[in-house]
Amino acid sequence: MHSEEPEGNQVVPSTGQNLDPHLKRYAARAEGMTASEVRALFAVASRPEVVSLAGGMPNLAALPLDSIAAEVAGLIASDGLVALQYGSAHGVPGLREQICDVMAIEGITGHPDDIVVTVGSQMALDLVTRIFCDPGDVVIAEGPSYVGALGTFASYQANVVHVEMDSAGLVPEALRQALAAAAAQGQRVKFLYTIPNFHNPAGVTLAVSRRAEILEICRKAGVLVIEDNPYGLLGFDGQTYPALRSMDPDNVIYLGSFSKTFASGLRVGWALAPHAVREKLVLAAEAAVLSPPVLSQLIVSRYLATHDWKGQIKSFQTMYRERRDALLTSLDQHMPAGCTWTKPDGGFFVWMTVPEGIDTKAMQPRAVTARVAYVPGIGFYADRFGSRQMRLSFCYPTPERIREGVRRLAVVLEQEMELLRTFGPASRRITSGPQTPSPDTA
Amino acid sequence: MHSEEPEGNQVVPSTGQNLDPHLKRYAARAEGMTASEVRALFAVASRPEVVSLAGGMPNLAALPLDSIAAEVAGLIASDGLVALQYGSAHGVPGLREQICDVMAIEGITGHPDDIVVTVGSQMALDLVTRIFCDPGDVVIAEGPSYVGALGTFASYQANVVHVEMDSAGLVPEALRQALAAAAAQGQRVKFLYTIPNFHNPAGVTLAVSRRAEILEICRKAGVLVIEDNPYGLLGFDGQTYPALRSMDPDNVIYLGSFSKTFASGLRVGWALAPHAVREKLVLAAEAAVLSPPVLSQLIVSRYLATHDWKGQIKSFQTMYRERRDALLTSLDQHMPAGCTWTKPDGGFFVWMTVPEGIDTKAMQPRAVTARVAYVPGIGFYADRFGSRQMRLSFCYPTPERIREGVRRLAVVLEQEMELLRTFGPASRRITSGPQTPSPDTA
């Protein structure tokens, strides 16, 4: 998952008059579904003259389109009656076997029967939330967390409790405290949602030394772990980390995706779940979409069978490493004192904190005017924390454009700091830490 | 929508011991998600020696696979960076314009902005239910109704109230009474879910003379209409009927699909909704899948642009008409006295009622042993009505196989009636009519 559309629909309350004649008919859960003000800005930010450090779109330019085209043509000509026909909600069996090979790279030994193929791993997350979360149930997530996950949790009226990260990822002691606090308040915590590797948006990786501890804490608390791992194979030195799923198969639901390692537009992701949960997921998937697209699944399957997909991932690693280097180097060169940022060794994102008094959301229109875009931090929290943070993506623009974008951003920040020194804070900042958000205010 | 998997997951309660260690963690809505006993039987029914009159899979053999393969190859080679990339949750703009042309055939004048492209129209139905139905809300549906819709309603804990049909479709007076009864009980009715054309499973079409009346009843009651129309262009004489949406744009959400007119495996459907509702649907779609597969959408778009899709639909009409004729003729020839059935002039399905005392679900294993399969009627009701009914599909087997299947089915029915005369009813039949079901008992 983790798309190019990072605006959090649960973050910004709709303020205008509502002219919708169907207003009184909606379900309670629909109240959390309001369009973000960021959305309009995104249209502007996508103009070619703007360097977008905002989107999370993978760069597909390195894909061998001609040979993929030939394979797909062969597939339709020879197996079209299968490829264009309904499939099962469980997913194509051959692909599920190949997915086991992909997961084995990170130490997972799963059975193809326990995999459900989904329309991107976003759908897997939606199904997991659907079968586990009643309104008011609590989901623990890193703070910050993936904006698309927060949207899904909000759409099922789950309450998100954020837990602190540091440069080694989720902090076990903070998790322990959050679980204890939830228990003390009588809240039902359904799962920990975590992105252990090359976190979106934080750009950090959960230390291997913490993994067993995190799993132990969750197991003791009777809380499932949802491990979302779209970037795990995009370590810049080819390194991988043992999946949480590999360490506790019975208490982890693993979400995987081909969006970052092959092609996002096919929308092929999956969940690997304990057997009984997998059965529920298939039934939920039937109700949601009947079956994922068979053609997409067969294209991925054939690509894995006929292309050097591991070599392709290596070339993705090299490309993204160059872009990460361009971003970090130019941040070092240009950012004013008081800015700090994470140093990812994989994935797509750097998380930057700016000096006190600067509100990254308030600053964003000025940045776009200066032809650079980022995503303000508050979109990655369910509780409006993150006003001093921003996400910088290095996945899509070229290194040269990244450097130019950082130069522009540095100028905007310098101006903002000058204004701040002269006039004081431009807007009231929210300084409270992670807390239980209410979806009703979303 | 309307897939090849007609087993109703909400119909048959799971009875075995539950060995799922996660049992206490599920959301309340997950209780309704139990696998049907019919599922196991379906695996048997899909053996080649069994004539399946059960599935709802379209027959794609008439599609020009080679030219589709060539078009798709060209698409990936030339536009692969778009086709394989994330898209918007709203759908590809060009396709949305073409969808307006498709809908115009049935009298709809819609704006491309008011269309949301979905992963099959099943997903559109899921999103509509998601944004409108709180647990306990009532959905009015024809009795019988599409099994996949019943599964979706159950997964959102909506209660289905069935309304009677006759050979001219939904009975207006019965709808009026159901709405009055719901109002008297203080129930919140959210929408009427209806399949006006070539109903699945009933095989009847809502008379044009009833359409304005149905719409008027719903408008007066403040109840939305969800018009599900996957078969509308498959009238056997090329006839079409004015869409409900064309007669009341503000109170109808229209669901369309390319699954029956082009290729089900691409999973491309859509909703056309009043503007404010459409905005909610897009936000719900983002939370559900981020975006529908771009490649699938572009394939449909290119197919519509480069192929004689109207001519293709004509050849589908001819093929399905021959199969309908084969089914109706052999039913006339072989079925024992006391059996009645509908006579569809389009679509995929015939709905048959067997003599009193015969339970179509109890009889099904014997039918499969005799190498013919159908879907028992109870799967199409939320209230376990339908024990004397069965759905017979004529879409997939050849006319010859259909005739052979009916011969086999007639033998099974004769034997069943002989047993009945000798020993009385084999099982307690449920004879109550449509009533409010409880999803808790599902």
Side-chain angles (χ1 to χ4, degrees):
Chain A
M1 64 189 66
H2 305 204
S3 85
E4 81 288 17
E5 297 211 280
E7 61 274 37
N9 62 46
Q10 79 296 345
V11 170
V12 181
S14 158
T15 49
Q17 276 186 291
N18 202 311
L19 302 174
D20 179 1
H22 305 284
L23 190 62
K24 290 185 178 167
R25 292 169 169 173
Y26 293 118
R29 71 175 70 82
E31 282 176 32
M33 300 178 191
T34 51
S36 163
E37 295 165 19
V38 183
R39 190 180 292 262
L41 208 59
F42 254 73
V44 182
S46 67
R47 290 188 194 151
E49 69 270 22
V50 176
V51 175
S52 178
L53 304 172
M57 286 199 296
N59 190 308
L60 305 177
L63 284 176
L65 293 182
D66 286 336
S67 75
I68 293 169
E71 287 293 341
V72 173
L75 178 62
I76 293 175
S78 65
D79 294 327
L81 294 187
V82 172
L84 301 179
Q85 184 59 276
Y86 287 120
S88 86
H90 195 171
V92 169
L95 175 62
R96 287 191 272 112
E97 288 176 19
Q98 292 167 302
I99 286 172
C100 289
D101 298 337
V102 174
M103 293 192 295
I105 298 173
E106 292 170 277
I108 293 172
T109 51
H111 193 284
D113 274 359
D114 292 337
I115 291 169
V116 188
V117 181
T118 51
V119 181
S121 63
Q122 181 78 27
M123 178 176 151
L125 184 60
D126 184 81
L127 298 181
V128 165
T129 312
R130 181 188 300 223
I131 69 169
F132 283 110
C133 289
D134 285 310
D137 282 351
V138 168
V139 170
I140 306 265
E142 286 123 355
S145 187
Y146 166 52
V147 64
L150 298 179
T152 300
F153 301 149
S155 87
Y156 287 100
Q157 301 166 274
N159 291 334
V160 174
V161 171
H162 288 294
V163 169
E164 180 192 341
M165 281 184 285
D166 60 20
S167 60
L170 189 68
V171 177
E173 186 50 34
L175 173 61
R176 214 173 265 117
Q177 287 172 12
L179 287 168
Q185 293 171 48
Q187 293 174 321
R188 276 162 59 100
V189 179
K190 283 302 175 70
F191 52 75
L192 165 68
Y193 168 76
T194 180
I195 307 163
N197 303 319
F198 321 127
H199 190 276
N200 175 9
V204 299
T205 292
L206 181 64
V208 174
S209 59
R210 287 185 181 176
R211 298 193 175 210
E213 187 178 1
I214 298 283
L215 288 166
E216 173 71 10
I217 293 168
C218 289
R219 205 179 321 109
K220 275 198 178 156
V223 166
L224 269 172
V225 176
I226 313 301
E227 177 180 27
D228 189 7
N229 190 31
Y231 309 103
L233 299 183
L234 293 179
F236 296 145
D237 302 309
Q239 84 280 18
T240 57
Y241 303 96
L244 298 174
R245 170 56 171 70
S246 72
M247 305 166 75
D248 192 354
D250 295 334
N251 202 49
V252 175
I253 298 176
Y254 177 93
L255 311 186
S257 173
F258 289 105
S259 290
K260 311 306 188 292
T261 53
F262 177 31
S264 44
L266 298 173
R267 314 301 299 117
V268 179
W270 70 90
L272 171 69
H275 194 75
V277 174
R278 191 276 291 160
E279 289 182 349
K280 293 274 190 202
L281 290 176
V282 170
L283 291 166
E286 268 180 22
V289 300
L290 284 186
S291 77
V294 177
L295 180 63
S296 284
Q297 295 179 76
L298 292 181
I299 290 174
V300 173
S301 180
R302 191 170 279 218
Y303 172 79
L304 292 174
T306 61
H307 282 73
D308 176 18
W309 60 275
K310 291 185 183 176
Q312 182 64 53
I313 289 175
K314 279 206 177 67
S315 74
F316 281 137
Q317 291 165 357
T318 304
M319 177 184 64
Y320 292 129
R321 183 176 57 227
E322 286 170 10
R323 289 164 189 222
R324 186 269 323 252
D325 290 344
L327 181 58
L328 292 183
T329 305
S330 44
L331 288 173
D332 274 335
Q333 287 173 347
H334 300 292
M335 279 300 130
C339 295
T340 58
W341 53 88
T342 55
K343 285 149 190 86
D345 60 346
F348 285 8
F349 306 109
V350 163
W351 183 245
M352 185 160 86
T353 300
V354 298
E356 269 213 53
I358 294 178
D359 181 319
T360 55
K361 180 161 187 304
M363 188 178 82
Q364 198 196 26
R366 292 186 282 279
V368 171
T369 304
R371 293 169 300 136
V372 59
Y374 58 82
V375 186
I378 58 166
F380 302 97
Y381 287 90
D383 53 10
R384 300 185 69 75
F385 194 69
S387 64
R388 270 177 64 197
Q389 278 75 32
M390 64 175 69
R391 190 187 74 176
L392 301 173
S393 311
F394 51 83
C395 47
Y396 201 71
T398 61
E400 191 179 322
R401 293 272 288 171
I402 289 173
R403 284 186 286 265
E404 177 58 29
V406 171
R407 276 191 292 269
R408 294 173 186 174
L409 182 60
V411 171
V412 175
L413 265 170
E414 295 278 14
Q415 290 170 341
E416 200 77 4
M417 289 165 74
E418 179 61 33
L419 282 173
L420 187 65
R421 281 188 293 268
T422 312
F423 299 107
S427 64
R428 282 178 55 201
R429 282 168 298 110
I430 292 164
T431 53
S432 68
Q435 51 188 265
T436 307
S438 159
D440 295 337
T441 63
Chain B
M1 63 189 62
H2 307 202
S3 83
E4 82 286 19
E5 298 209 280
E7 62 273 41
N9 61 48
Q10 78 297 344
V11 171
V12 181
S14 159
T15 50
Q17 277 188 289
N18 203 310
L19 302 173
D20 179 0
H22 305 283
L23 190 62
K24 290 185 179 166
R25 292 169 168 172
Y26 294 116
R29 72 175 70 82
E31 281 175 35
M33 300 177 192
T34 50
S36 163
E37 295 164 19
V38 184
R39 192 178 291 264
L41 207 60
F42 254 72
V44 181
S46 67
R47 288 188 195 151
E49 69 270 22
V50 176
V51 174
S52 179
L53 303 173
M57 288 198 295
N59 190 309
L60 305 178
L63 284 176
L65 292 181
D66 286 336
S67 75
I68 293 170
E71 288 293 341
V72 174
L75 178 63
I76 293 175
S78 65
D79 296 325
L81 295 186
V82 173
L84 301 179
Q85 184 60 274
Y86 287 119
S88 86
H90 196 169
V92 170
L95 176 61
R96 285 189 274 112
E97 288 175 19
Q98 293 167 302
I99 286 171
C100 289
D101 299 336
V102 174
M103 293 191 297
I105 298 172
E106 290 168 281
I108 294 172
T109 51
H111 193 283
D113 274 359
D114 293 337
I115 292 169
V116 188
V117 181
T118 52
V119 181
S121 63
Q122 181 77 28
M123 177 175 152
L125 183 60
D126 184 82
L127 297 181
V128 165
T129 312
R130 183 187 299 223
I131 69 169
F132 283 109
C133 289
D134 285 310
D137 282 351
V138 167
V139 170
I140 307 265
E142 286 122 357
S145 186
Y146 166 52
V147 63
L150 298 179
T152 299
F153 302 148
S155 88
Y156 287 100
Q157 300 165 271
N159 291 334
V160 174
V161 171
H162 288 294
V163 170
E164 181 193 340
M165 282 184 285
D166 60 21
S167 61
L170 189 67
V171 177
E173 187 51 34
L175 174 61
R176 212 174 266 119
Q177 286 172 12
L179 287 167
Q185 293 172 50
Q187 293 175 321
R188 276 162 58 99
V189 179
K190 283 302 175 72
F191 52 77
L192 165 67
Y193 169 75
T194 180
I195 306 163
N197 303 319
F198 320 125
H199 191 275
N200 176 8
V204 299
T205 291
L206 181 63
V208 173
S209 59
R210 288 185 181 176
R211 296 192 176 209
E213 186 178 2
I214 298 282
L215 288 165
E216 173 72 11
I217 293 169
C218 289
R219 205 178 323 110
K220 275 198 177 157
V223 166
L224 270 171
V225 176
I226 312 300
E227 177 180 26
D228 189 6
N229 189 31
Y231 309 103
L233 298 184
L234 293 179
F236 296 145
D237 301 309
Q239 83 282 20
T240 57
Y241 304 95
L244 298 174
R245 170 56 170 73
S246 71
M247 305 166 74
D248 192 355
D250 295 334
N251 202 48
V252 176
I253 298 175
Y254 177 92
L255 311 185
S257 173
F258 289 105
S259 289
K260 309 306 187 293
T261 52
F262 178 31
S264 45
L266 298 173
R267 313 300 300 116
V268 180
W270 70 91
L272 171 69
H275 194 76
V277 174
R278 191 276 292 160
E279 289 182 349
K280 293 274 189 202
L281 290 176
V282 169
L283 292 166
E286 268 181 21
V289 301
L290 285 184
S291 76
V294 177
L295 180 64
S296 284
Q297 295 178 75
L298 293 181
I299 290 173
V300 173
S301 179
R302 192 171 278 219
Y303 172 79
L304 293 174
T306 61
H307 283 72
D308 175 20
W309 60 274
K310 291 185 183 177
Q312 181 64 53
I313 289 174
K314 280 208 176 67
S315 74
F316 281 137
Q317 291 164 357
T318 305
M319 177 185 63
Y320 293 128
R321 183 178 54 228
E322 285 170 11
R323 290 164 189 224
R324 185 269 323 252
D325 289 344
L327 181 58
L328 292 184
T329 305
S330 43
L331 287 173
D332 274 336
Q333 288 174 345
H334 301 291
M335 279 300 128
C339 295
T340 58
W341 52 88
T342 56
K343 284 147 190 87
D345 60 346
F348 285 8
F349 307 109
V350 163
W351 183 246
M352 185 161 84
T353 300
V354 298
E356 269 213 55
I358 294 180
D359 182 321
T360 55
K361 181 162 187 304
M363 187 179 83
Q364 198 195 28
R366 292 186 280 279
V368 172
T369 304
R371 294 170 299 137
V372 59
Y374 58 82
V375 187
I378 59 165
F380 303 96
Y381 287 89
D383 54 10
R384 301 186 67 75
F385 194 69
S387 64
R388 269 178 64 198
Q389 277 75 33
M390 64 175 69
R391 190 188 73 176
L392 300 173
S393 312
F394 52 82
C395 46
Y396 202 72
T398 60
E400 190 179 324
R401 293 272 288 170
I402 289 172
R403 285 187 283 267
E404 177 57 28
V406 170
R407 275 190 292 269
R408 294 174 185 174
L409 182 59
V411 171
V412 174
L413 266 169
E414 296 276 14
Q415 291 170 341
E416 200 76 4
M417 290 165 72
E418 178 62 32
L419 282 172
L420 186 67
R421 282 188 290 270
T422 313
F423 299 108
S427 63
R428 282 178 53 201
R429 283 169 297 111
I430 293 164
T431 52
S432 67
Q435 53 187 263
T436 307
S438 160
D440 296 336
T441 63

